Amino acid sequence: MRTDGRQWNELRPVTITMNANKYAEGSVLIEFGDTKVLCTASVEERVPPFMKGQGKGWITAEYSMLPRATQVRNHRESARGKLTGRTMEIQRLIGRALRSVVDLHALGERTITLDCDVLQADGGTRTTSITGAFVALALAVNKLSRTVDFAKYPITDYMASVSVGVIGERTLLDLNYDEDSKAKVDMNVVMTGSGKFVEVQGTGEEAPFSRKELDELLGAAEEGILSLIGKQREALGSMGSRIGVTTV
Amino acid sequence: MRTDGRQWNELRPVTITMNANKYAEGSVLIEFGDTKVLCTASVEERVPPFMKGQGKGWITAEYSMLPRATQVRNHRESARGKLTGRTMEIQRLIGRALRSVVDLHALGERTITLDCDVLQADGGTRTTSITGAFVALALAVNKLSRTVDFAKYPITDYMASVSVGVIGERTLLDLNYDEDSKAKVDMNVVMTGSGKFVEVQGTGEEAPFSRKELDELLGAAEEGILSLIGKQREALGSMGSRIGVTTV
Amino acid sequence: MRTDGRQWNELRPVTITMNANKYAEGSVLIEFGDTKVLCTASVEERVPPFMKGQGKGWITAEYSMLPRATQVRNHRESARGKLTGRTMEIQRLIGRALRSVVDLHALGERTITLDCDVLQADGGTRTTSITGAFVALALAVNKLSRTVDFAKYPITDYMASVSVGVIGERTLLDLNYDEDSKAKVDMNVVMTGSGKFVEVQGTGEEAPFSRKELDELLGAAEEGILSLIGKQREALGSMGSRIGVTTV
Amino acid sequence: MRTDGRQWNELRPVTITMNANKYAEGSVLIEFGDTKVLCTASVEERVPPFMKGQGKGWITAEYSMLPRATQVRNHRESARGKLTGRTMEIQRLIGRALRSVVDLHALGERTITLDCDVLQADGGTRTTSITGAFVALALAVNKLSRTVDFAKYPITDYMASVSVGVIGERTLLDLNYDEDSKAKVDMNVVMTGSGKFVEVQGTGEEAPFSRKELDELLGAAEEGILSLIGKQREALGSMGSRIGVTTV
Amino acid sequence: MRTDGRQWNELRPVTITMNANKYAEGSVLIEFGDTKVLCTASVEERVPPFMKGQGKGWITAEYSMLPRATQVRNHRESARGKLTGRTMEIQRLIGRALRSVVDLHALGERTITLDCDVLQADGGTRTTSITGAFVALALAVNKLSRTVDFAKYPITDYMASVSVGVIGERTLLDLNYDEDSKAKVDMNVVMTGSGKFVEVQGTGEEAPFSRKELDELLGAAEEGILSLIGKQREALGSMGSRIGVTTV
Amino acid sequence: MRTDGRQWNELRPVTITMNANKYAEGSVLIEFGDTKVLCTASVEERVPPFMKGQGKGWITAEYSMLPRATQVRNHRESARGKLTGRTMEIQRLIGRALRSVVDLHALGERTITLDCDVLQADGGTRTTSITGAFVALALAVNKLSRTVDFAKYPITDYMASVSVGVIGERTLLDLNYDEDSKAKVDMNVVMTGSGKFVEVQGTGEEAPFSRKELDELLGAAEEGILSLIGKQREALGSMGSRIGVTTV
């Protein structure tokens, strides 16, 4: 039994509040237990310089934690004058994950920026961000689709992410902060609605892990992600009906 | 009649959600209409180097807007690598305003940092921040008072802030973004519960203003601030009962 | 009686040395007592990117103190790698104040940059800078007017600035450093030749101030500024004759 | 058959030149084909501030590419004034991987910094760096062991790293730059001498991958890493004899 | 004949205004023709961390040009966020030159910082700065000597600097900006009162120079520097009487 | 006799390894004893913005030391976020020196960037860099000449550089680190194949030097440089045959 009463393979309560920001083309406030992330999708009708003239769009992400999202207040990166390696790593991951389910040619020469701002952090901020950013992106593309006649719908599949880890001998799904700090193996998995891997990032800094442990971790993650994608489908309803539909 | 139907001297609906963050010693989500600011107060049992050994505490503030708090997405200051002049000016103002109602000797050698993060901006973000930060500060000091035996209560008075401006010939209270961008005179006023000025900042970049206009602006601000302080008193209830009480 | 023998409503000796730099389109060395600021106006025949194609000009200002302008040497901002909040706040104020008396359409698509470099600081560096920068600007526009046929003269009024403050119960005009560090209320006022306010910035960090105190401060400031504008008129002589003249 | 004639599961020629730098406590020049990395280990008899007083040591890594390590010259990060996200991600990975096979308590209060400078890049710079840095670290600890009487030898196991990927339907081991840019799935694996995983990082930005593909990739990586560890053992000879030996 | 009517081996008019700043321990405004530099010497009773505990003092220099010191306005280095290579090179040169005539042991554990701020530039700003900074330093050490009982006087010799160059076939002394931009060879020489070289920096970027040209340049520089040292002696009068005196 | 057994006017063993990098248009690994510098020349078919449209090319240089090139590890400049003054000074010197033997009009609108990365430092890194960069440049221009029909060959002369210094009363050629740190006078000389000076930089920080000492230093440098140019000629062989040839 876990400190918060969950089974080893049980997600924390997941809440997705749609349209949490009145200006953004798509936005959600997503909660995995006490981890709360505000995700906004901003659409611009241009691409960054390195993408110009290729007839393709671009998806990028930025991630940040409010200073008191955590138990002890952190310095603001804006005051430090630079991003930490952790932030860079996470926002690169979010952008890469989202691009894996977007057909950039179908999107056309426009950029969608996903901002993931962690209001409160209790473990799993990167997986919560990816899962929420997907919904914000879907809202923005759905909104775009009212004025843009997409020959092919740009979002090719659902996608969500969860963390798994090993504490002692136990595999656990969706670690909170307390569990995360005790885990000897820590893994983040991103998977599509069709059950394929987008990212697998496993780290055994405290102790290397065996192939058997890896297999158990992947199994638990798969189950958790399918459940999260169910929540996304429910939240999007008919707005998600064209995702992955390839024929017009 | 204003675009949102308000009278010239009418505040926008004000909401103060207490304890909006589970880690901070004090926190509120404050809303002036569509302007939403998350204010957290973080207590540390030490003072910055330049204050050491004086037997006094310190109050400081940081201010930031999420990139999509606004109609058009802004670059993150953390990605730009430096704070804008506007941000610096606002956070200096918030800190100064709060210090004016705190007895730093009574507080003792500790620092309280107020983080004001604008989730959504529709004008008046600095006045909303000051008004909300005061409540977060009051919550944090109230929490401190359960373990620290203050000879004198460190908060000496209530304090709130509002904007006023002139559009055409009309004085208006609590401008939203649309009004703010049309105003020829723009003023931010910070005032205490006892009706004294902490800050008066009036700017006539578009057109200089007369003494008569200044007097009308100050009058409208005073009325608005007293109303805001009423909301603060209501939100704090008995937790605010020792504010300004000098005898033990 | 003040430490330097002045009356409460008496300015320090004011000196304006014209053309203090041989390259700048306009320049003065201005002194308010021991506060000495070199102000240069640089004209460029283009506007910043965000102003392009609007048929308007731009006025901007930069402010800096030499490291040993003060009693104790300060670190250079160029060595620190960033501007302090104080510098940003002051240079934003100077630019805003100057723009309030310039008709940017009349100026046409050109930029005038006012550099205010404090050679020696004894209080009131921002008010001295504004007062001197106005004269440097007037010199530059006067020089421009020899080659540009302005349909309307771009400078619409005189403008100067002074500080006022409260020490104990006394209102004082034009505070020197020693007085400034003792003042419980500190106010900077910028006013036009026609007696209208451009900026009113009052701060009661040490102690909030009443409406009555505010009124006294504004009265003292008004008197001081009119006297400073007299000095500006004298220094400019016939070069200032078209300021505020609206008919050709 | 691959463009350079290798079998799908064949490593490039691996060369490890010991003591490539005359000052460093440990150093190697490691080559995976045309990828050449200079790895130095620098020992300091102190730990970073956040580790002080814990009786433990610290292992950290820095990674950089010379500007013309690549086909097209890159800007120097020192001239840009900041590290790229890619650099940060890689050096965090190298440090984490090395720490997984070091007993920081056994090391004692000292820091070993591994610098991995890529002289020439032809794919796999991070896996080459990890594999080389391990040898440099082993040399430095071996040198230390001549003067320090370690109760337990600080290095607990061998460790090496290799990349694997999928091009078309083929799994390939140790991708060169040309292959890397064509791969739809890209994975870096770090493994110990006892065959346990330290890091598994798989990315399907171009196309998500199935569980079956993942299994094949892991299998190929395992084989490659065991071969690399053979090269490390050979290079270290008797200097590696105490690695992983727990009894004195 | 030169454009300003000087002989080939003639200095521009040199003016040294003593005590140009009321706070600095030593200060001068020095002019070489239209080149004007404000030099201040600031004394601190401590040394930088890398010098601690050696019983020696430190002399360092900072150099900066006001933005409109030049014909075309330059960006401020504080706004750019970093020093240019040119600035770094010049301030390293000034510091090194001054240290060559100071006995750091005799000075004791204190730091003197020389700030050289160019108010107006017409060529030779680095040589003007060195020549002026020496006088500011001498004033500061003389002031120190009233309260500190130096066993040995810390300044061991006079020192000044001048530029020389070749235009066409002519060697010229003390180049103004116009000459400097035409010179094919450009040399800065720093020399002591006893006629020894402290720095010789000759550059033939436009055209390499022969040994014969070098000899002529050095000869002209020597003559010019001795004349400048005469000006320094005159300015310092009896305040310079202990310079280079080794017996008490 | 010197610590490494050399005569006072003897160079350290010089090795030039051609084509040390497989991508660069020209590259060498150059060694002056234990000082090892990797020099690459990168050709781009465009010039920096400030050179556009002048029909001329540009030569520029960047210099860096690997963190453990030295006895004690140095911080990376990329991690510090800025270049040191020393680095800026050296890379400006290298670029200037190379430009003095290149006819930029003959080169045409292209940029050649010389990267000098010090792998191991034992004194004289700047002179080693200049000498090696010249050869890398010659290789790149020679390669260019196979596809570009130069009316005039862009390299006008050979060029090399060496350090000289005074220890005690002895003039020494090509100082190693140990000698460099003891020298009271330190001079770097850059000279062309025709025996003319490109740069003479002598510093007597520890003790000023006489004209006689200067003459001896220049004599020793001249001899050393001619010997280094001999090594360059040998390394380049027929690839250097058009250097300085003005007729087609």
Side-chain angles (χ1 to χ4, degrees):
Chain A
M1 194 73 128
R2 297 158 79 171
T3 52
D4 55 5
R6 284 186 285 154
Q7 298 298 317
W8 69 272
N9 64 348
E10 191 181 343
L11 294 172
R12 289 176 286 179
V14 174
T15 311
I16 302 176
T17 307
M18 308 294 273
N19 303 312
N21 170 296
K22 85 173 208 185
Y23 303 119
E25 283 72 29
S27 65
V28 305
L29 175 67
I30 186 164
E31 300 171 58
F32 278 23
D34 279 333
T35 293
K36 302 181 185 188
V37 184
L38 182 57
C39 304
T40 60
S42 299
V43 178
E44 283 173 298
E45 292 294 321
R46 60 194 169 109
V47 287
F50 72 92
M51 297 280 304
K52 263 184 197 153
Q54 302 180 30
K56 294 166 60 177
W58 188 241
I59 305 288
T60 187
E62 296 192 4
Y63 166 96
S64 184
M65 288 215 294
L66 296 198
R68 197 57 197 275
T70 45
Q71 289 184 315
V72 172
R73 184 179 183 274
N74 287 297
H75 289 293
R76 278 176 199 271
E77 291 176 309
S78 55
R80 294 175 70 246
K82 55 182 176 180
L83 301 178
T84 61
R86 180 184 174 277
T87 290
M88 288 220 198
E89 202 169 301
I90 294 176
Q91 63 191 19
R92 281 159 57 91
L93 169 63
I94 301 171
R96 215 159 58 219
L98 291 168
R99 285 192 297 274
S100 77
V101 289
V102 174
D103 182 323
L104 297 175
H105 282 99
L107 181 61
E109 287 218 357
R110 47 181 65 88
T111 299
I112 305 182
T113 302
L114 279 301
D115 285 292
C116 299
D117 285 274
V118 180
L119 305 187
Q120 196 171 275
D122 187 27
T125 64
R126 77 188 73 188
T127 56
T128 309
S129 294
I130 291 169
T131 305
F134 176 82
V135 182
L137 173 68
L139 285 172
V141 171
N142 180 64
K143 188 177 176 194
L144 262 180
S145 73
R146 290 182 222 147
T147 52
V148 177
D149 188 17
F150 289 122
K152 184 189 165 192
Y153 200 70
I155 306 185
T156 60
D157 203 347
Y158 276 83
M159 184 203 67
S161 177
V162 81
S163 72
V164 282
V166 180
I167 298 185
E169 302 294 298
R170 286 305 278 151
T171 294
L172 296 181
L173 177 67
D174 187 21
L175 283 63
N176 62 27
Y177 178 75
D178 193 47
E179 293 169 340
D180 194 46
S181 55
K182 286 179 200 146
K184 64 177 197 178
V185 181
D186 180 24
M187 178 170 283
N188 293 293
V189 180
V190 186
M191 194 175 260
T192 62
S194 53
K196 290 197 158 186
F197 296 108
V198 169
E199 290 272 342
V200 174
Q201 296 199 342
T203 295
E205 184 173 341
E206 295 307 314
F209 51 101
S210 67
R211 182 63 182 269
K212 182 161 164 296
E213 285 172 309
L214 175 59
D215 288 346
E216 280 174 20
L217 288 163
L218 291 170
E222 186 170 357
E223 201 179 328
I225 289 173
L226 292 181
S227 168
L228 288 168
I229 287 176
K231 305 274 185 187
Q232 291 176 329
R233 284 186 194 275
E234 199 179 307
L236 284 168
S238 68
M239 287 184 293
S241 62
R242 292 181 65 193
I243 291 173
V245 176
T246 51
T247 54
V248 187
Chain B
M1 193 77 129
R2 297 158 80 171
T3 52
D4 56 5
R6 281 187 287 156
Q7 298 298 317
W8 70 272
N9 62 347
E10 193 181 342
L11 294 172
R12 290 177 284 180
V14 174
T15 311
I16 301 176
T17 306
M18 308 294 274
N19 303 313
N21 172 295
K22 86 172 205 185
Y23 303 119
E25 283 70 30
S27 65
V28 304
L29 174 66
I30 185 163
E31 301 171 57
F32 279 20
D34 279 334
T35 292
K36 303 181 185 188
V37 184
L38 183 56
C39 305
T40 59
S42 298
V43 179
E44 283 173 298
E45 294 293 322
R46 59 191 168 113
V47 288
F50 70 93
M51 298 279 305
K52 264 183 195 152
Q54 303 179 29
K56 293 165 62 177
W58 187 240
I59 305 288
T60 186
E62 296 195 3
Y63 167 97
S64 185
M65 288 215 295
L66 296 198
R68 197 56 196 275
T70 46
Q71 290 185 315
V72 173
R73 184 179 183 275
N74 288 298
H75 289 292
R76 277 177 201 273
E77 290 177 309
S78 55
R80 293 174 71 242
K82 56 181 175 181
L83 300 179
T84 61
R86 180 183 174 276
T87 290
M88 289 222 196
E89 202 170 300
I90 293 175
Q91 65 192 20
R92 281 158 58 89
L93 169 63
I94 301 171
R96 215 160 55 218
L98 292 167
R99 286 191 296 274
S100 76
V101 290
V102 174
D103 182 322
L104 298 174
H105 282 99
L107 182 60
E109 287 220 356
R110 48 182 66 88
T111 299
I112 306 182
T113 302
L114 280 301
D115 285 293
C116 299
D117 285 273
V118 180
L119 305 186
Q120 196 171 277
D122 188 26
T125 64
R126 79 188 70 187
T127 55
T128 309
S129 295
I130 291 169
T131 306
F134 176 82
V135 182
L137 173 68
L139 286 171
V141 172
N142 180 64
K143 188 177 177 194
L144 263 180
S145 72
R146 291 181 223 148
T147 51
V148 177
D149 188 16
F150 290 121
K152 184 189 167 192
Y153 200 70
I155 307 186
T156 60
D157 203 346
Y158 276 83
M159 185 205 66
S161 176
V162 81
S163 73
V164 280
V166 180
I167 298 184
E169 303 294 300
R170 287 305 278 150
T171 294
L172 296 181
L173 177 68
D174 187 21
L175 282 64
N176 63 26
Y177 178 75
D178 193 46
E179 292 169 341
D180 193 46
S181 57
K182 286 179 199 146
K184 62 177 197 180
V185 182
D186 181 23
M187 178 170 281
N188 294 293
V189 180
V190 186
M191 195 175 259
T192 63
S194 53
K196 289 198 160 187
F197 295 108
V198 168
E199 288 273 342
V200 173
Q201 295 199 342
T203 294
E205 182 172 342
E206 295 306 313
F209 50 103
S210 65
R211 182 63 183 270
K212 185 163 162 295
E213 285 172 308
L214 175 59
D215 287 347
E216 281 175 20
L217 289 163
L218 292 171
E222 186 170 356
E223 203 179 326
I225 290 172
L226 293 182
S227 168
L228 289 167
I229 288 177
K231 305 273 185 188
Q232 292 175 330
R233 285 186 193 276
E234 201 178 307
L236 285 168
S238 67
M239 287 184 293
S241 62
R242 291 182 64 196
I243 291 172
V245 176
T246 50
T247 55
V248 189
Chain C
M1 192 75 127
R2 298 159 77 173
T3 51
D4 54 6
R6 282 188 286 155
Q7 298 298 316
W8 70 271
N9 64 347
E10 192 181 342
L11 295 172
R12 289 176 285 180
V14 175
T15 311
I16 302 176
T17 307
M18 308 295 274
N19 302 313
N21 171 296
K22 85 175 207 185
Y23 302 119
E25 284 70 30
S27 66
V28 304
L29 175 67
I30 185 164
E31 300 170 59
F32 278 21
D34 278 335
T35 292
K36 302 181 185 188
V37 185
L38 183 56
C39 304
T40 59
S42 297
V43 178
E44 283 173 299
E45 293 293 321
R46 59 193 169 109
V47 288
F50 71 93
M51 297 279 304
K52 263 184 196 153
Q54 302 180 31
K56 293 165 61 179
W58 188 240
I59 305 289
T60 186
E62 296 192 3
Y63 167 95
S64 184
M65 287 213 295
L66 296 198
R68 198 57 197 276
T70 45
Q71 289 184 315
V72 173
R73 186 179 182 274
N74 288 297
H75 289 293
R76 279 177 199 272
E77 291 177 307
S78 55
R80 294 175 70 243
K82 56 181 174 179
L83 301 179
T84 60
R86 180 184 175 277
T87 290
M88 287 221 196
E89 203 170 299
I90 294 176
Q91 64 191 19
R92 281 160 58 90
L93 169 64
I94 301 171
R96 216 161 54 219
L98 292 167
R99 286 193 296 275
S100 77
V101 290
V102 174
D103 182 324
L104 297 175
H105 282 100
L107 181 61
E109 287 218 357
R110 47 182 66 88
T111 299
I112 305 182
T113 302
L114 280 301
D115 285 293
C116 299
D117 286 273
V118 180
L119 305 187
Q120 196 171 277
D122 187 25
T125 65
R126 77 187 74 188
T127 55
T128 309
S129 294
I130 291 170
T131 306
F134 177 82
V135 182
L137 173 69
L139 285 172
V141 172
N142 180 65
K143 187 175 177 193
L144 263 180
S145 73
R146 288 181 223 149
T147 51
V148 177
D149 188 15
F150 290 120
K152 184 188 165 194
Y153 199 70
I155 306 185
T156 59
D157 204 345
Y158 276 84
M159 186 204 66
S161 177
V162 81
S163 72
V164 281
V166 180
I167 298 185
E169 302 295 299
R170 285 307 275 150
T171 294
L172 295 181
L173 178 68
D174 188 21
L175 283 62
N176 63 27
Y177 177 75
D178 192 46
E179 292 169 340
D180 194 45
S181 56
K182 287 178 200 147
K184 64 178 196 178
V185 182
D186 180 24
M187 178 171 282
N188 293 293
V189 180
V190 185
M191 195 176 260
T192 63
S194 53
K196 290 195 158 188
F197 295 108
V198 168
E199 290 272 342
V200 174
Q201 296 198 341
T203 294
E205 184 171 342
E206 296 306 314
F209 50 102
S210 66
R211 181 64 183 270
K212 183 161 164 293
E213 285 172 308
L214 175 59
D215 288 347
E216 281 175 19
L217 289 163
L218 292 170
E222 187 171 354
E223 201 179 329
I225 289 173
L226 293 182
S227 167
L228 288 168
I229 288 178
K231 304 274 185 188
Q232 291 176 328
R233 283 186 194 276
E234 200 179 308
L236 284 168
S238 67
M239 288 184 291
S241 61
R242 291 182 65 194
I243 291 172
V245 176
T246 52
T247 55
V248 189
Chain D
M1 192 73 127
R2 297 159 78 170
T3 51
D4 56 5
R6 281 185 287 154
Q7 297 298 315
W8 70 271
N9 63 349
E10 192 180 342
L11 294 173
R12 290 176 285 180
V14 174
T15 312
I16 301 176
T17 308
M18 308 293 273
N19 302 314
N21 171 297
K22 84 174 208 186
Y23 303 118
E25 283 72 30
S27 65
V28 304
L29 175 66
I30 185 164
E31 301 171 58
F32 279 21
D34 279 334
T35 293
K36 303 182 183 186
V37 185
L38 183 57
C39 304
T40 59
S42 298
V43 178
E44 283 172 298
E45 292 295 322
R46 60 190 168 114
V47 288
F50 71 93
M51 299 279 305
K52 264 183 195 153
Q54 302 180 31
K56 294 166 58 178
W58 187 241
I59 306 288
T60 186
E62 296 193 4
Y63 167 95
S64 184
M65 289 215 293
L66 296 198
R68 196 58 196 275
T70 46
Q71 290 183 316
V72 172
R73 185 180 183 273
N74 287 297
H75 289 293
R76 277 176 201 273
E77 291 176 308
S78 55
R80 292 176 72 244
K82 55 182 176 182
L83 302 178
T84 62
R86 180 183 175 275
T87 290
M88 288 222 198
E89 203 170 299
I90 294 175
Q91 65 191 20
R92 281 157 58 88
L93 169 64
I94 301 171
R96 214 160 56 218
L98 292 167
R99 285 193 296 274
S100 76
V101 289
V102 174
D103 182 324
L104 298 175
H105 282 99
L107 181 60
E109 289 219 357
R110 49 181 66 89
T111 299
I112 306 182
T113 301
L114 280 302
D115 286 291
C116 299
D117 285 273
V118 180
L119 305 186
Q120 197 170 275
D122 188 26
T125 62
R126 78 188 73 187
T127 55
T128 310
S129 294
I130 290 169
T131 306
F134 177 83
V135 183
L137 173 69
L139 286 171
V141 172
N142 180 65
K143 187 175 177 195
L144 263 180
S145 72
R146 289 182 224 147
T147 52
V148 178
D149 188 16
F150 290 120
K152 183 187 166 192
Y153 200 69
I155 306 186
T156 59
D157 203 346
Y158 276 83
M159 185 205 65
S161 177
V162 81
S163 73
V164 282
V166 179
I167 298 185
E169 303 294 299
R170 287 305 278 150
T171 294
L172 296 182
L173 177 68
D174 187 21
L175 283 62
N176 63 27
Y177 177 75
D178 192 45
E179 292 169 341
D180 193 46
S181 56
K182 288 180 199 144
K184 64 177 194 177
V185 181
D186 181 23
M187 179 171 279
N188 294 293
V189 180
V190 185
M191 196 175 257
T192 62
S194 53
K196 290 198 158 186
F197 296 108
V198 169
E199 289 272 343
V200 174
Q201 296 198 341
T203 294
E205 183 173 341
E206 295 306 314
F209 51 101
S210 66
R211 181 63 184 269
K212 183 162 164 295
E213 286 173 307
L214 175 60
D215 287 346
E216 281 175 21
L217 288 163
L218 292 171
E222 187 171 355
E223 202 179 327
I225 289 171
L226 293 182
S227 167
L228 289 168
I229 288 175
K231 305 274 183 187
Q232 291 175 329
R233 284 187 194 276
E234 199 179 307
L236 284 167
S238 67
M239 288 184 293
S241 62
R242 292 182 64 195
I243 290 173
V245 176
T246 50
T247 53
V248 189
Chain E
M1 193 75 128
R2 297 159 78 172
T3 51
D4 55 6
R6 280 186 288 156
Q7 297 298 318
W8 71 271
N9 64 347
E10 191 181 342
L11 294 172
R12 289 176 287 179
V14 175
T15 311
I16 301 175
T17 307
M18 309 294 273
N19 302 312
N21 171 297
K22 86 172 205 184
Y23 303 119
E25 283 71 31
S27 66
V28 304
L29 174 67
I30 185 164
E31 301 171 59
F32 278 22
D34 280 333
T35 293
K36 302 180 185 190
V37 185
L38 182 57
C39 305
T40 59
S42 298
V43 179
E44 283 173 299
E45 292 295 321
R46 59 194 169 111
V47 288
F50 70 93
M51 297 279 304
K52 265 185 195 151
Q54 302 179 32
K56 293 166 60 178
W58 188 240
I59 305 288
T60 186
E62 297 194 2
Y63 167 96
S64 184
M65 288 216 293
L66 296 198
R68 196 57 196 274
T70 46
Q71 290 185 314
V72 173
R73 185 179 182 273
N74 287 297
H75 288 292
R76 276 178 202 272
E77 291 176 310
S78 56
R80 293 176 71 242
K82 55 181 174 182
L83 300 179
T84 61
R86 180 183 174 276
T87 290
M88 288 223 198
E89 202 170 300
I90 293 176
Q91 65 192 20
R92 282 159 58 90
L93 168 64
I94 300 171
R96 214 159 57 219
L98 292 168
R99 285 192 296 273
S100 77
V101 289
V102 174
D103 182 323
L104 298 175
H105 281 99
L107 181 60
E109 287 220 358
R110 47 181 66 90
T111 299
I112 305 183
T113 302
L114 280 301
D115 286 292
C116 299
D117 285 274
V118 180
L119 304 187
Q120 195 171 277
D122 187 26
T125 64
R126 78 188 72 188
T127 54
T128 310
S129 294
I130 291 169
T131 305
F134 176 82
V135 182
L137 174 68
L139 286 172
V141 172
N142 179 65
K143 188 176 175 195
L144 263 180
S145 73
R146 290 182 222 148
T147 51
V148 177
D149 188 17
F150 290 120
K152 183 188 167 194
Y153 200 71
I155 306 185
T156 59
D157 203 347
Y158 275 83
M159 184 205 65
S161 177
V162 82
S163 72
V164 282
V166 179
I167 298 185
E169 302 295 300
R170 286 307 276 150
T171 294
L172 295 181
L173 177 69
D174 187 22
L175 283 63
N176 63 28
Y177 178 75
D178 192 47
E179 292 168 341
D180 193 46
S181 56
K182 287 179 199 147
K184 64 177 197 179
V185 181
D186 180 24
M187 178 169 281
N188 294 293
V189 180
V190 186
M191 195 175 258
T192 62
S194 54
K196 289 197 159 187
F197 295 108
V198 169
E199 288 273 342
V200 174
Q201 296 199 341
T203 294
E205 183 173 341
E206 296 306 314
F209 50 101
S210 66
R211 182 63 183 270
K212 183 161 164 295
E213 285 173 308
L214 176 58
D215 288 347
E216 280 174 22
L217 289 163
L218 292 171
E222 186 170 357
E223 201 179 329
I225 289 172
L226 293 182
S227 168
L228 288 168
I229 288 176
K231 304 273 184 189
Q232 291 176 329
R233 285 187 193 276
E234 198 178 310
L236 284 168
S238 66
M239 288 184 293
S241 62
R242 292 182 64 194
I243 291 173
V245 176
T246 51
T247 54
V248 188
Chain F
M1 195 72 128
R2 297 158 77 171
T3 52
D4 55 6
R6 283 186 286 154
Q7 298 298 316
W8 69 272
N9 63 348
E10 193 181 342
L11 294 172
R12 289 176 286 179
V14 174
T15 311
I16 301 176
T17 307
M18 307 295 273
N19 302 313
N21 171 297
K22 87 174 205 185
Y23 303 119
E25 284 72 30
S27 66
V28 304
L29 174 66
I30 185 163
E31 301 170 59
F32 279 22
D34 279 334
T35 293
K36 303 180 184 190
V37 185
L38 182 56
C39 304
T40 60
S42 298
V43 179
E44 282 172 300
E45 292 294 321
R46 58 192 169 109
V47 287
F50 72 91
M51 298 279 304
K52 261 182 198 155
Q54 301 180 31
K56 295 164 61 177
W58 188 239
I59 306 289
T60 186
E62 296 193 4
Y63 167 97
S64 185
M65 288 215 294
L66 295 198
R68 197 57 197 275
T70 45
Q71 289 183 316
V72 173
R73 185 180 183 274
N74 287 298
H75 289 293
R76 279 177 200 271
E77 291 176 310
S78 55
R80 294 175 71 244
K82 55 184 177 180
L83 302 178
T84 62
R86 179 183 175 278
T87 290
M88 286 221 197
E89 201 170 302
I90 293 176
Q91 64 191 20
R92 281 159 57 90
L93 169 64
I94 301 171
R96 215 160 55 218
L98 291 167
R99 285 192 297 276
S100 77
V101 290
V102 173
D103 182 323
L104 298 175
H105 282 101
L107 181 60
E109 287 219 356
R110 48 182 64 90
T111 300
I112 305 182
T113 302
L114 280 301
D115 285 293
C116 299
D117 285 273
V118 180
L119 305 186
Q120 196 171 275
D122 187 26
T125 64
R126 76 189 74 189
T127 55
T128 310
S129 293
I130 290 169
T131 306
F134 177 82
V135 182
L137 174 68
L139 285 171
V141 171
N142 180 65
K143 188 177 176 195
L144 262 181
S145 73
R146 290 181 222 147
T147 51
V148 177
D149 188 17
F150 289 120
K152 183 188 166 192
Y153 199 70
I155 306 185
T156 59
D157 203 347
Y158 275 84
M159 185 203 66
S161 177
V162 81
S163 73
V164 282
V166 179
I167 298 186
E169 303 294 298
R170 286 306 277 152
T171 293
L172 296 181
L173 178 67
D174 187 23
L175 283 63
N176 63 26
Y177 177 76
D178 193 45
E179 293 168 340
D180 194 45
S181 56
K182 286 180 201 146
K184 63 178 198 178
V185 182
D186 181 23
M187 179 170 281
N188 293 293
V189 180
V190 186
M191 194 177 259
T192 63
S194 54
K196 289 196 158 187
F197 296 108
V198 169
E199 290 272 345
V200 173
Q201 296 198 341
T203 294
E205 183 172 341
E206 296 307 314
F209 50 102
S210 67
R211 181 65 182 268
K212 182 160 165 294
E213 285 172 308
L214 175 59
D215 288 347
E216 280 175 21
L217 289 163
L218 291 171
E222 186 170 357
E223 202 179 327
I225 288 172
L226 292 182
S227 167
L228 289 168
I229 287 176
K231 305 274 184 187
Q232 291 176 329
R233 284 185 194 276
E234 199 178 307
L236 284 168
S238 68
M239 287 185 293
S241 62
R242 290 181 65 194
I243 291 173
V245 175
T246 51
T247 53
V248 189

